[in-house]
Amino acid sequence: MLRKPEKALDLSHYKIPTHVAIIMDGNGRWAKRRGLPRQAGHRAGAENLRRIVRAGVEFGIQVLTIYAFSTENWGRPESEVRGLMRIFARVLDQEIDELHSQGVCLHHLGELSGINPTLQEKVRRALELTKNNNRLILNIAFNYGGRAEILQAVRQMLADGIDPNDLSEELFSSYLFTQGLPDPDLVIRTSGELRISNFLIWQAAYAEFYPTPAFWPDFGREELYDAIVAFNQRERRFGLVTEREL
Ligand code: IPE
Ligand code: IPE
Ligand code: MG
């Protein structure tokens, strides 16, 4: 099938956020609107991920983090959880070669031990295959929760016998799943919800938040472009006062 020619989107005059994080929300509602089962929405969402990763590479984003499955999502009906696991396994099987050829380096954020062993093995293989790529770091937050992440960091620091006087924000950050990566500059949430839902609660302390009403399967390359343009209109103050206010 011929792909529709893509509109030229020029970002040369814009600052590209180094790290963009996305709460991919609204798959279920996208499907319901069409009279389809929720699983169809999750499938459409997974397909969309391919488009967004491609656009991320095109736009020169260095780190892209996507929230795929939260620690709280285990509480959904068993059939939905099973369906999501199946999709995740399929994405790893079918997309890994293309991701690798695009120079994508995959990282996993979350507890790998909480997921089924076959899936764990697929994740490990994908991380190993792509570990030397450097075009785009793609963090997949799967079985991820911000609070769980903080607790595992504290547990590990205690186990390492860290002296409380040595504890700093930098040291703490190095115990998180995102160790070594810059904090997100821009957090996008699709589907119109205005909450963080336990996503990168430490790392996103000063991220710009961009909520959009689009459901995740409808959030494409042009919508990502719009988010970057909006990011450029923000004034990041980090608690300071700006020159022109002095
Ligand atoms: C996001 O879509 C995907 C996951 C959370 C796994 P939802 O499944 O939350 O879709 P809505 O929010 O119910 O529409
Ligand atoms: C957040 O979406 C989690 C993911 C996108 C993976 P949810 O749909 O689970 O969040 P709530 O329930 O609306 O807060
Ligand atoms: Mg949701």
Side-chain angles (χ1 to χ4, degrees):
M1 199 176 72
L2 278 179
R3 224 190 291 154
K4 200 172 90 193
E6 286 185 333
K7 193 167 137 191
L9 298 173
D10 182 12
L11 280 170
S12 56
H13 299 295
Y14 292 104
K15 184 171 159 25
I16 305 300
T18 306
H19 183 170
V20 176
I22 309 182
I23 303 175
M24 313 187 289
D25 197 16
N27 292 348
R29 280 164 283 168
W30 179 92
K32 285 289 152 213
R33 285 262 171 101
R34 287 167 174 72
L36 299 170
R38 291 177 58 84
Q39 181 70 0
H42 294 316
R43 275 196 301 270
E47 273 161 39
N48 190 44
L49 183 56
R50 186 189 315 151
R51 292 198 286 160
I52 289 299
V53 172
R54 221 183 266 141
V57 170
E58 175 193 347
F59 295 158
I61 293 168
Q62 287 173 38
V63 185
L64 181 63
T65 300
I66 51 127
Y67 201 9
F69 190 86
S70 74
T71 46
E72 289 71 33
N73 290 150
W74 290 108
R76 293 188 178 198
E78 204 196 316
S79 58
E80 177 159 348
V81 171
R82 230 183 303 119
L84 285 164
M85 296 297 149
R86 251 197 326 268
I87 289 178
F88 189 45
R90 202 163 49 225
V91 167
L92 285 171
D93 283 339
Q94 295 178 353
E95 304 297 333
I96 195 63
D97 290 336
E98 179 175 342
L99 290 172
H100 187 41
S101 68
Q102 286 181 93
V104 172
C105 171
L106 271 182
H107 285 214
H108 172 245
L109 312 185
E111 287 300 345
L112 207 50
S113 59
I115 61 181
N116 127 357
T118 322
L119 196 49
Q120 283 188 34
E121 195 41 43
K122 286 185 199 297
V123 174
R124 281 200 198 91
R125 274 207 305 271
L127 302 184
E128 180 60 29
L129 175 72
T130 62
K131 70 177 184 202
N132 295 321
N133 293 339
N134 56 15
R135 189 106 182 258
L136 171 84
I137 291 175
L138 177 62
N139 291 318
I140 302 191
F142 194 91
N143 191 20
Y144 173 87
R147 289 183 173 181
E149 177 182 41
I150 288 171
L151 284 188
Q152 69 76 35
V154 172
R155 238 177 251 124
Q156 194 55 50
M157 284 190 294
L158 291 173
D160 288 352
I162 300 289
D163 182 334
N165 297 314
D166 292 338
L167 186 55
S168 62
E169 293 186 6
E170 288 68 31
L171 183 66
F172 188 81
S173 296
S174 75
Y175 276 87
L176 298 174
F177 298 125
T178 46
Q179 62 182 87
L181 298 176
D183 285 338
D185 303 291
L186 175 63
V187 173
I188 297 169
R189 181 166 189 151
T190 59
S191 89
E193 306 297 350
L194 301 176
R195 57 179 169 267
I196 206 81
S197 298
N198 206 11
F199 186 47
L200 302 178
I201 51 180
W202 168 278
Q203 299 90 332
Y206 267 105
E208 291 297 324
F209 194 62
Y210 181 82
T212 165
F215 294 135
W216 170 249
D218 293 329
F219 183 88
R221 173 176 172 267
E222 290 180 31
E223 287 72 22
L224 181 61
Y225 173 88
D226 290 344
I228 295 174
V229 171
F231 171 78
N232 276 261
Q233 284 148 7
R234 304 283 178 88
E235 186 194 358
R236 301 185 79 187
R237 293 155 59 123
F238 300 99
L240 309 177
V241 283
T242 48
E243 294 262 308
R244 62 188 150 74
E245 286 172 317
L246 292 173

